[in-house]
Amino acid sequence: MSDAVAADPTQPSMVFHPRPQAGPAAPWAFPAPERSTLPNGLTVLRCHRPGQQVVAVDIDVVAPLAAEPEGLDGVATIMARALSEGTDKHTAEEFTAELERCGATLDAHADHPSVRLSLEVPASRLTKALGLVADALRAPAFPDNEVERLVGNRLDEIPHELANPSRRAAMALSKELFPAGSRMSRPRQGTEETVARIDAASVRAFYEAHVRPATTTAVVVGDFTGIDLDAALADSLGAWTGSPAEPFPLPPVTADDTGRVVIVDRPGAVQTQLLIGRTGADRHDAVWPAQTVGTYCLGGTLTSRLDRVLREEKGYTYGVRAFGQVLLSTPEGTGAAMLAISGSVDTASTGPALQDLWTVLRTLAAEGLTDEERDSAVQNLVGVAPLKYETAAAVAGTLADQVEQHLPDDFQARLYERLAATGTVEATAAVVNAFPPDRLVTVLVGDAAQIEEPVRALGIGDVTVITG
């Protein structure tokens, strides 16, 4: 008798269809915007993205931190936050309610190059939301009580930032790298002393000196089907008037990357926060694509060199990252980027972890990257791009970054081409030049009593201990 079970003719049989096969990859390129200028001098970049029913609007206003009056660091931040605290048409509460009725979110912040406003709103409510944002830029109220509240909120934030090891390390590194007179050497959002001096009059004075349509760019990305975007822009941002003054001149960025160590003492800390860095080239520099690939190989992912040694082999940390971040980019190429390695280790492992980190850097300089490392980095950096830019907000943010950094509108699209064309030798040279072992400023936030002597013994630079 056969062991096979006969099929039951009364039951329906299962039909197996061929497994679906992946089709050819669709070509992808970073979206190309359309550029225009409104009669009031405001620049518009628009990018129609079919299917993106949540429209993103990023507005870049050239009001740099370097333009803040002496002793009023943080006034740009307070001004940015106060833009949505009432206009000539709405109180702060009414303005917030109107945004909510649009289903919109509006954020604003100040950074070294400019003040940025970011709006997200359903396409069907875009015209109304643009009108609200235009009112905020055209005629902000800056009421005394709201500015006082924002100043109080900012003063409440500062102690928390000082207590955060990563934020404290970033402050210390900026203070070490840049001259005392440079705005970049001081906290971006001000100190307790400077913020406490800010009032409604100083906020309005900064607004009147620097916020105008002629030095503003609006990036609008989303599905514009059925929307008369020209009319919406003309009736909102186009109705804003102001003087055609020239942007604030920015001095060249200078820095001192002499190799040294600064320990910010935190008695009893069980971990040490590491931030190791120096300044690098302006984003206009031709080295940027190769530097991006090389830095990714060094510390851009869980399989990078730093993680393989410090996390996988030694177990010092949950992760260490290397990165390049634009600080300021100028048309003349006189800006700078921050090149840094960041992570945390347990206190007892601080010395050994730094020793192994320096060994990784020296080995990289002596032996270079492998083709496998380069190939993996390029695949990850270029291959992820279509997913990274699925939302309108991601596209708008990158286009606004390009505006802020004085880059051509096709920069991002060309960047991916350059990343793909970067060779192993080129990436090696760029990352070795970016992270020379003898030209790095090391900031450690941790227990100085436990880590000072082991760090001194490494010989990676003079060691200074500071409190706070």
Side-chain angles (χ1 to χ4, degrees):
M1 182 176 180
S2 170
D3 291 334
V5 178
D8 186 346
T10 66
Q11 299 297 321
S13 59
M14 184 178 294
V15 178
F16 291 93
H17 297 281
R19 178 180 297 177
Q21 300 296 314
W28 181 89
F30 185 81
E34 176 187 342
R35 178 179 285 261
S36 61
T37 304
L38 301 182
N40 61 358
L42 188 144
T43 301
V44 176
L45 270 67
R46 69 186 76 193
C47 189
H48 177 52
R49 303 287 288 163
Q52 294 288 354
Q53 293 300 318
V54 176
V55 177
V57 182
D58 263 52
I59 298 177
D60 184 85
V61 183
V62 182
L65 298 188
E68 292 178 319
E70 185 176 354
L72 287 178
D73 290 358
V75 71
T77 292
I78 299 300
M79 185 205 71
R81 296 180 180 184
L83 288 172
S84 60
E85 299 298 332
T87 69
D88 61 346
K89 296 180 181 178
H90 300 290
T91 66
E93 292 78 10
E94 291 169 347
F95 188 88
T96 300
E98 289 296 319
L99 275 177
E100 290 177 350
R101 289 189 185 97
C102 292
T105 59
L106 177 64
D107 296 305
H109 73 276
D111 208 335
H112 286 295
S114 60
V115 168
R116 289 270 288 271
L117 286 78
S118 298
L119 171 75
E120 288 189 81
V121 62
S124 60
R125 301 288 190 272
L126 175 62
T127 300
K128 174 68 173 177
L130 279 175
L132 291 170
V133 174
D135 287 345
L137 287 166
R138 176 188 58 81
F142 298 135
D144 290 348
N145 63 319
E146 296 295 348
V147 172
E148 289 172 5
R149 179 180 61 82
L150 293 172
V151 168
N153 290 347
R154 178 67 198 128
L155 290 172
D156 289 341
E157 293 170 358
I158 293 173
H160 295 283
E161 293 171 357
L162 291 171
N164 182 296
S166 61
R167 297 292 292 273
R168 185 64 185 88
M171 293 178 196
L173 182 58
S174 294
K175 186 176 181 180
E176 282 294 317
L177 280 174
F178 302 107
S182 167
R183 183 61 182 86
M184 286 193 176
S185 71
R186 306 190 297 275
R188 300 183 187 194
Q189 300 182 79
T191 65
E192 289 186 19
E193 181 182 3
T194 63
V195 172
R197 297 192 187 110
I198 298 171
D199 58 15
S202 58
V203 169
R204 177 160 292 281
F206 188 80
Y207 165 85
E208 291 177 347
H210 302 289
V211 181
R212 55 181 60 89
T215 55
T216 297
T217 299
V219 178
V220 190
V221 180
D223 191 332
F224 307 141
T225 303
I227 299 172
D228 188 343
L229 187 57
D230 287 327
L233 290 168
D235 293 341
S236 56
L237 294 171
W240 177 21
T241 59
S243 65
E246 291 297 317
F248 184 85
L250 295 172
V253 178
T254 59
D256 176 10
D257 63 358
T258 302
R260 57 197 185 278
V261 180
V262 175
I263 299 175
V264 181
D265 189 19
R266 291 288 170 85
V270 298
Q271 286 190 326
T272 300
Q273 182 70 37
L274 317 176
L275 185 59
I276 303 161
R278 62 193 296 264
T279 58
D282 186 296
R283 204 176 186 195
H284 290 83
D285 196 292
V287 78
W288 192 268
Q291 181 177 279
T292 299
V293 174
T295 301
Y296 192 92
C297 293
L298 175 63
T301 181
L302 292 175
T303 58
S304 66
R305 286 206 178 191
L306 289 173
D307 258 18
R308 286 205 306 268
V309 174
L310 301 181
R311 185 175 70 94
E312 297 296 332
E313 295 178 14
K314 301 300 180 71
Y316 295 143
T317 178
Y318 289 115
V320 176
R321 290 292 173 267
F323 59 91
Q325 175 184 336
V326 178
L327 295 174
L328 187 68
S329 185
T330 68
E332 301 78 21
T334 56
M338 177 71 76
L339 304 173
I341 296 169
S342 176
S344 61
V345 299
D346 65 278
T347 298
S349 299
T350 303
L354 285 173
Q355 183 175 33
D356 285 334
L357 194 155
W358 253 254
T359 298
V360 169
L361 295 178
R362 289 169 180 143
T363 301
L364 178 62
E367 301 177 2
L369 297 168
T370 66
D371 290 339
E372 290 76 15
E373 287 176 311
R374 175 268 172 202
D375 293 346
S376 177
V378 169
Q379 182 178 4
N380 288 333
L381 289 167
V382 178
V384 76
L387 297 176
K388 183 179 178 180
Y389 294 109
E390 280 191 324
T391 66
V395 175
T398 296
L399 289 172
D401 286 344
Q402 292 182 170
V403 169
E404 185 179 83
Q405 295 163 16
H406 303 279
L407 298 167
D409 293 342
D410 65 347
F411 178 86
Q412 196 69 22
R414 295 175 60 202
L415 176 62
Y416 286 112
E417 297 172 2
R418 292 167 181 164
L419 291 173
T422 297
T424 305
V425 172
E426 187 182 4
T428 297
V431 70
V432 168
N433 288 332
F435 295 96
D438 59 340
R439 302 292 297 182
L440 295 171
V441 177
T442 300
V443 173
L444 309 173
V445 180
D447 190 341
Q450 301 295 317
I451 66 178
E452 180 179 358
E453 289 309 314
V455 171
R456 286 188 185 277
L458 297 177
I460 58 176
D462 293 338
V463 179
T464 302
V465 178
I466 62 177
T467 58

